[in-house]
Amino acid sequence: MSYRNVNQRPTPQLWQAQDVCKEHNNEEGSIDTITGKLSQICLTEDMADVFFSFKGENVARIPAHKMILALRIPVFKAMFYGSFPQSIGDIKIEDIELEIFQRLVKYIYTDHLQLSKQSVIPLLYAAQKYQIAGLISKCEKYLQDNLDVNNACTLFSNAKFFTMDKLQTNALKFIADNAIEVLKSEDFLLLPSENLVDILELDSLRAQEVDVIRAVLRWVDHQLTKSKIKVDGKSRRAVLLKDSILFTLAIPLLSIEEFTSIVIPCGILTDEEQLLIFKDLTVPNSPSSCGKFRIHPREGTKVLMVTVNDILNPAFPNMHTASFHSQFMNQWGDLQAEIFSVKANKIIKIKSFTINPKFQNPNQNSFVFNVNIKTQSGSFTVNQPMFARASRLVDRSGYATEEGTVAMDVIFDGRACKLPIDKIIPQNEMLVLTINPNVTNFNLGMWGQNQQMIKTFPPTYQNMINGMMYQHKLSDQTTLYLSLTGGKLVESFEVLEIC
């Protein structure tokens, strides 16, 4: 559902008054009531003592009754019975279309109201002009009930224009919570610059900064194209400097690749700004010198660390305490493959997994795990095997496409190994991480193949939820669903709650 901007006027439809009256009488039923009587004379010349006229030729005049209008609307009471009453000639209406004014008069006479996505904004304007509180409330409720990703930006703009604080607040929250879809919508392109700034200043915006910047660049190019201005770096920067849009963007938080492939080519930065931001991105722990640019992440894009033990054994939140370790038993056992599956009821991004095996073998200093990662709608692939020493990140350049399955070898030498995944997982889609121990190429010692001293977790009893064994709430909105065979290899994972 989409809505016109408040500055766009609906196309007039020239209804004949007698046809509208016939419709009213059919809707109201019996006319032997005060409502029925008012409906009967609504929009007719019967006892009418005032007429409203509209711009254009051959447009029907609307008849009305001063007393009825004055009894319902203070503005009309002042107009007809105030210190300087208007008594001669038609009342000219230049900012409201005929059809909308007819609906307004019908509401005044009968309280009957039919709202639609085409009429609600013009009716809201008319209600504000004549200070009709009941009609304003009904329009606001209709807009609130029909808020979605395709009209949220326009509804926010209209709510701000009409000073409807509740709708304005709710629209902003909806935009923040559904930022990924809203930023991609055509409605986003219709935002005035000052309202765009209101959205970009939200800390709660649930979208990665690179997607926010892409959306803003699309918005800029739309403004330039609409104004028939050449689209280049100079014109883009001029638009972004209006209302300081440029400095609401957290460009210093981008990766080097995002900065060099998206921001620099679009030409919105000066040479000095490019140099300062590039230095900030490439020199670790250097004091930020990025001027007016936003440098703190939005709350909606914070990376959360989820520890597997907290999910398996919520009664033991601190696995490093003595009381926790007393709950485990050390026993020899075969080291087997571990499969970790995760999905969520919202869109998430898995940033990394940390492998830290919970076993030991004194005669084996290191061994190899083969790690496979895949999702339902296309996964990653690598062109050649990848190796990662413990405590060192895997080289990101090995990820060539997002088709097939990631296959990498990880050398473990007693320290935790963090594997970057950086994969967006759509709502209710599964990511599966499979870890296959491969110890055949290493000294196995006297215990034999795959035999390790394994710590055994206390038993847990959990019901199947959403087809998965465990659930973990990231927030009030987002719940992770997980299954796990083993629990001996994956220590934790980083997840970004996107939407």
Side-chain angles (χ1 to χ4, degrees):
M1 182 179 295
S2 61
Y3 292 84
R4 291 186 180 91
N5 188 280
V6 68
N7 294 319
Q8 295 176 312
R9 302 179 64 189
T11 302
Q13 299 180 9
L14 305 183
W15 290 2
Q16 296 299 319
Q18 58 268 30
D19 294 334
V20 177
C21 293
K22 182 178 178 181
E23 174 191 340
H24 294 175
N25 289 333
N26 290 337
E27 291 171 350
E28 299 299 336
S30 173
I31 62 173
D32 194 22
T33 62
I34 185 62
T35 302
K37 292 294 185 181
L38 292 175
S39 178
Q40 188 180 30
I41 66 172
C42 177
L43 298 172
T44 73
E45 295 188 18
D46 186 15
M47 297 182 287
D49 54 0
V50 65
F51 288 83
F52 297 89
S53 63
F54 300 81
K55 293 191 301 183
E57 297 181 358
N58 301 320
V59 178
R61 300 158 73 211
I62 290 184
H65 307 80
K66 292 180 181 179
M67 181 174 290
I68 296 173
L69 298 179
L71 284 172
R72 290 296 306 269
I73 311 300
V75 172
F76 286 125
K77 183 177 180 180
M79 182 183 297
F80 300 134
Y81 301 103
S83 301
F84 301 97
Q86 180 170 339
S87 58
I88 300 175
D90 290 359
I91 298 175
K92 294 182 179 181
I93 306 296
E94 297 185 350
D95 55 349
I96 301 174
E97 298 290 351
L98 171 66
E99 177 189 348
I100 298 301
F101 200 84
Q102 286 174 320
R103 291 175 182 262
L104 181 74
V105 172
K106 181 182 176 183
Y107 175 78
I108 293 172
Y109 277 65
T110 67
D111 278 334
H112 180 79
L113 181 65
Q114 287 183 322
L115 289 173
S116 67
K117 62 182 180 181
Q118 290 82 17
S119 66
V120 62
I121 297 300
L123 270 172
L124 180 57
Y125 173 80
Q128 289 273 9
K129 177 180 178 179
Y130 294 108
Q131 301 175 26
I132 309 174
L135 183 54
I136 293 173
S137 179
K138 290 179 184 294
C139 290
E140 184 173 6
K141 185 178 185 304
Y142 181 90
L143 293 173
Q144 178 64 53
D145 292 344
N146 289 277
L147 182 65
D148 62 36
V149 295
N150 294 314
N151 63 34
C153 293
T154 294
L155 291 193
F156 166 66
S157 296
N158 286 319
K160 186 176 178 181
F161 178 84
F162 290 116
T163 62
M164 295 186 294
D165 294 339
K166 182 178 179 181
L167 179 59
Q168 183 176 334
T169 299
N170 290 341
L172 270 180
K173 185 178 186 305
F174 182 91
I175 291 169
D177 291 343
N178 300 274
I180 292 179
E181 291 86 355
V182 171
L183 293 174
K184 294 178 181 178
S185 71
E186 294 301 308
D187 190 55
F188 177 78
L189 302 178
L190 304 179
L191 280 166
S193 59
E194 64 272 18
N195 296 345
L196 174 63
V197 169
D198 291 333
I199 293 173
L200 296 178
E201 288 180 342
L202 292 173
D203 285 339
S204 56
L205 206 61
R206 293 182 179 276
Q208 298 180 86
E209 199 64 33
V210 63
D211 293 327
V212 174
I213 292 171
R214 284 194 182 105
V216 171
L217 291 175
R218 190 168 68 97
W219 176 88
V220 170
D221 289 356
H222 176 79
Q223 309 307 310
L224 293 172
T225 302
K226 183 175 63 175
S227 302
K228 298 181 179 180
I229 299 174
K230 181 181 178 181
V231 178
D232 57 20
K234 183 178 179 180
S235 59
R236 286 186 179 120
R237 182 176 176 85
V239 174
L240 288 175
L241 288 178
K242 183 180 179 182
D243 298 311
S244 297
I245 297 172
L246 180 62
F247 303 113
T248 64
L249 305 176
I251 296 176
L253 298 183
L254 298 178
S255 67
I256 295 178
E257 179 183 359
E258 291 166 344
F259 178 66
T260 55
S261 64
I262 297 173
V263 177
I264 291 181
C266 72
I268 61 175
L269 302 180
T270 64
D271 292 343
E272 182 182 1
E273 288 169 344
Q274 287 187 25
L275 182 61
L276 289 175
I277 293 176
F278 186 78
K279 178 181 178 181
D280 192 74
L281 292 174
T282 55
V283 180
N285 302 319
S286 63
S288 179
S289 57
C290 296
K292 298 180 181 179
F293 289 95
R294 180 188 180 105
I295 58 173
H296 60 279
R298 305 178 195 276
E299 293 177 5
T301 59
K302 287 184 177 179
V303 177
L304 305 174
M305 175 69 74
V306 179
T307 301
V308 172
N309 178 70
D310 294 342
I311 299 172
L312 294 177
N313 301 280
F316 303 99
N318 188 350
M319 63 179 295
H320 301 292
T321 63
S323 61
F324 175 83
H325 283 287
S326 67
Q327 303 296 322
F328 289 89
M329 295 176 57
N330 287 337
Q331 61 181 18
W332 292 108
D334 288 330
L335 186 58
Q336 299 177 351
E338 180 161 306
I339 302 175
F340 187 92
S341 303
V342 58
K343 66 180 179 179
N345 64 329
K346 298 286 186 178
I347 301 173
I348 59 172
K349 185 173 188 177
I350 301 295
K351 297 288 291 183
S352 70
F353 281 98
T354 296
I355 297 176
N356 192 10
K358 302 176 180 64
F359 50 78
Q360 54 187 332
N361 186 331
N363 291 330
Q364 186 169 307
N365 295 324
S366 62
F367 41 85
V368 173
F369 295 111
N370 177 256
V371 179
N372 294 277
I373 308 163
K374 62 182 179 179
T375 59
Q376 292 169 289
S377 63
S379 306
F380 327 80
T381 186
V382 290
N383 295 325
Q384 56 187 357
M386 298 176 59
F387 295 88
R389 298 294 299 183
S391 302
R392 192 183 70 181
L393 297 182
V394 178
D395 182 6
R396 291 175 182 265
S397 63
Y399 292 94
T401 70
E402 290 193 358
E403 298 176 359
T405 303
V406 169
M408 65 183 82
D409 290 332
V410 178
I411 300 176
F412 177 76
D413 59 4
R415 294 170 293 173
C417 183
K418 185 176 182 180
L419 306 177
I421 307 300
D422 209 34
K423 173 69 175 176
I424 291 179
I425 311 299
Q427 180 179 359
N428 293 323
E429 181 172 305
M430 191 90 70
L431 180 144
V432 180
L433 176 76
T434 304
I435 307 174
N436 292 295
N438 181 8
V439 296
T440 56
N441 296 326
F442 293 84
N443 179 19
L444 299 176
M446 63 180 179
W447 290 284
Q449 184 172 351
N450 289 344
Q451 285 286 307
Q452 307 292 333
M453 180 68 76
I454 299 173
K455 288 185 178 295
T456 303
F457 280 100
T460 59
Y461 303 95
Q462 303 242 1
N463 296 326
M464 295 289 286
I465 301 171
N466 197 18
M468 312 290 280
M469 292 180 62
Y470 307 101
Q471 67 172 337
H472 179 76
K473 291 190 73 66
L474 285 180
S475 67
D476 292 339
Q477 292 185 327
T478 304
T479 302
L480 296 178
Y481 299 95
L482 310 101
S483 65
L484 178 65
T485 61
K488 312 291 193 302
L489 304 179
V490 179
E491 179 178 73
S492 62
F493 59 97
E494 292 178 312
V495 59
L496 176 65
E497 184 183 10
I498 296 179
C499 179

